Amino acid sequence: MNAANRSVCILLLAGAVLAGCRDRDKETPLPVTPPPPVTPPPPVTPPVTYDGARPGTMVQSEKQKFSVDTVAAGLTSPWGMAFLPDGRILVTEKAGQLRVVREGRLQPGSIGGVPAVYTNGQGGLLDIALHPDYASNGWLYFTYAAPGPGGGGTTLARARLQGDALTDVQTLFQAQPFLPSGVHFGSRIAFDGQGHVFVSTGDRGTPAQAQQLTNHWGKIMRLRDDGQVPADNPFAGTAGARPEIWSYGHRNVQGLYYDGAARRLWAHEHGPRGGDELNRVEGGKNYGWPLITYGVNYDGTPVSGATQGPGLEQPVRYWVPSIAPSGLAVVSSPQYPNWQGNVLVGALVGTHLARVELTDGQYAREEKLLNKIGRVRAVAQGPDGYVYVLTEGPGLLYKLTPR
């Protein structure tokens, strides 16, 4: 074959390959159409790649330079974290262990007195948080899936830590009814600093329950910090409704944060295949699941075929494809002057940390941080002002140290 013929063959072959790539790109679009009220996401920011096996890596993000420092390793399916005044960090493990990190080391053994947990699928020991007045009252709060008649249910409890054990354990709330399902328990805890505590659940794999006020599934609850129901809860006087409900129409809320400065409750939830949401949560509002969603069923069929409807709230931000959000914090620390008011969202499937910028409470843009660091289960701003990131698989606790 002469040189001219070889050139023609090469060109034809290259054209066929490119056409095949275009065809593959067309095979997997999701049938979602953003409505006018939701601002489309900007072009994807090139991710900052980080190899989690190399602690101390320096990252130059768009607005902040920081190092990724390992605080503790060796955790097994960690879920939540809380910071004690003496510098220790409490970390929950899903199987039911409450671990202690002291001076950069995971301590052997675990805290005693943790109630038995329902470890079916996604169930187990979940979130943990200190009461805002912990220094004076010693109460720490935690959520877990409790076993009981009919299966298990998301439970909010509080206890005091004495030595290496929990004491004075009190059950404040249990989501009803208990179900045998092993999915969508939620759950996160947030305090508003005004005597109230919020706790989230999921729909337990039965979407229709999220729209029914006769159960606690697919809801965010608002309680007094002693577990009593506030008289001004939106459904406290509604016949047949569970009075603890603050908002409903949620699929599986694993991020909850009360921004005291702005007096706003933020939550994010898992969508099905696509349609993860970041929401500004207000009392009495319906957040739509499963009547509206930007996702589809796992087999690709529509959930409802609708992305908006009368009386149904729109998300501030949604993700297609899913990032599987877990853990939520709003940056207020002077350690990160260029991240003030930004929302940090952990990503399980996305294996990164999303930094979401807001303008007047509305979505503006997003940056992907710590790409491929691992399944990010929780993110928190510690009392020292630093951002901490908890990953599962591997079970590591990181600190983002500004440089």
Side-chain angles (χ1 to χ4, degrees), residues 92-117:
T92 58
E93 293 181 330
K94 190 170 75 72
Q97 288 74 43
L98 180 56
R99 307 297 301 277
V100 177
V101 176
R102 185 201 304 266
E103 297 178 349
R105 291 181 178 273
L106 179 64
Q107 301 301 296
S110 59
I111 298 295
V114 176
V117 302

Side-chain angles (χ1 to χ4, degrees), residues 282-307:
E282 298 178 8
K285 297 290 183 68
N286 182 349
Y287 289 81
W289 174 256
L291 303 178
I292 60 171
T293 177
Y294 288 91
V296 297
N297 289 312
Y298 292 116
D299 62 4
T301 59
V303 175
S304 67
T307 56

